[in-house]
Amino acid sequence: MLRRPYPPFEYYDEDGAVVGFDIDIAEVIAGALDAELEVVQTGFEGIQSGVALDAGTCDLAISGMSITEARAGNMLFSEPYLDDNLGLLAVTEADVSSLDDLEGLTVGVQTETTGSDFAEEQGYEVREYSDSGLLIQGLESGQVEAAIGNISILGYQAGESDTAEFIEEIDTGEQLGIAVATGNDQLIDAVNQVLAELDASGGMEELEDRWFREGDTPEEGEGAEDEASDEASEEEPAEDAATEDEGDE
């Protein structure tokens, strides 16, 4: 599943193709399972709640999704494939140097994410956005002075912004996982085997370097949301991968 663009995990490039860190991993899994990858678009709520998996909308949910106890009650998670703490991003002129400086400021978060949960637990004045792209737009337009979300997303966005800067990492111990429907033990075992082989071969580190450290990634385009399914192969898909837009989530 492809939610709205969520770089660098999944987004449309200038040619309208779906690309990203999660997409590369999904392609490796599909190849190892001799399956044709089809990317299906859906909202993150349907992904993180397990509804999309239970409804058969997809076979795999890979969407920068943090493993939480609540989510694990609704789906089966793979072994973690990425460590991903939260981070704080702030407008350069906001004079924010740490979380301690957020009192009296409006903090942007993406709804239904661990960043949103954290901000609310801390008692910050929160403004919610439906996806990370809108969150960053809110920060750059002055709707909010700071944003809290997964470091993989906010760190990436900070490197693309001239008006905001990455302030600090928030050590929450979050890890991202791939999910399948409850009861599909055979598929999750196969996914775990592929992830283990990808890690052992150095392939996972290469993907992390490409998408999070080297910065040599495809430019973003303006692919329409309803084109996500069109990116799939015309062959019968054996595994559908669901992704959405969030920095954790």
Side-chain angles (χ1 to χ4, degrees):
M1 292 180 190
L2 175 74
R3 17 181 211 184
R4 288 177 295 278
Y6 181 51
F9 287 92
E10 54 264 349
Y11 63 95
Y12 294 100
D13 67 12
E14 293 181 322
D15 296 324
V18 183
V19 298
F21 178 66
D22 278 345
I23 301 302
D24 282 356
I25 293 175
E27 289 176 346
V28 171
I29 293 172
L33 301 183
D34 195 24
E36 195 69 33
L37 177 65
E38 180 179 358
V39 179
V40 184
Q41 177 174 310
T42 193
F44 186 69
E45 171 56 30
I47 296 175
Q48 67 92 28
S49 66
V51 170
L53 290 165
D54 292 339
T57 304
C58 63
D59 302 300
L60 300 176
I62 176 169
S63 184
M65 181 165 56
S66 295
I67 301 170
T68 68
E69 184 176 353
R71 291 169 181 168
N74 298 321
M75 62 193 82
L76 290 179
F77 273 106
S78 69
E79 292 297 318
Y81 68 92
L82 185 71
D83 295 334
D84 196 20
N85 284 325
L86 294 178
L88 171 64
L89 194 66
V91 175
T92 305
E93 298 178 354
D95 195 26
V96 173
S97 59
S98 73
L99 291 170
D100 296 334
D101 298 324
L102 296 182
E103 184 176 354
L105 301 182
T106 303
V107 179
V109 297
Q110 184 179 342
T111 186
E112 300 293 344
T113 65
T114 52
S116 175
D117 292 341
F118 176 85
E120 292 179 357
E121 289 169 0
Q122 299 303 310
Y124 300 138
E125 182 179 340
V126 170
R127 179 165 182 166
E128 293 189 326
Y129 295 87
S130 60
D131 64 65
S132 62
L134 293 176
L135 169 59
I136 298 303
Q137 289 178 27
L139 186 69
E140 294 181 338
S141 67
Q143 293 177 346
V144 296
E145 291 87 5
I148 291 178
N150 282 76
I151 193 171
S152 58
I153 296 300
L154 294 190
Y156 176 90
Q157 296 289 356
E160 300 289 315
S161 176
D162 295 327
T163 60
E165 59 183 334
F166 188 82
I167 304 300
E168 69 172 304
E169 183 172 349
I170 306 167
D171 189 5
T172 57
E174 289 185 43
Q175 295 178 306
L176 307 187
I178 300 169
V180 305
T182 301
N184 201 344
D185 297 85
Q186 183 176 0
L187 180 55
I188 204 65
D189 288 345
V191 169
N192 281 329
Q193 181 176 347
V194 175
L195 291 177
E197 292 172 353
L198 186 61
D199 187 58
S201 69
M204 185 67 79
E205 185 176 2
E206 291 179 4
L207 292 179
E208 291 177 11
D209 285 342
R210 180 191 184 196
W211 292 104
F212 300 110
R213 291 185 277 272
E214 295 179 352
D216 184 19
T217 57
E219 294 294 327
E220 292 181 55
E222 298 180 352
E225 292 178 29
D226 60 6
E227 292 177 355
S229 295
D230 295 338
E231 298 299 330
S233 168
E234 295 179 357
E235 297 181 27
E236 184 67 20
E239 307 295 343
D240 296 346
T243 70
E244 224 258 337
D245 170 31
E246 119 182 281
D248 117 275
E249 295 171 265

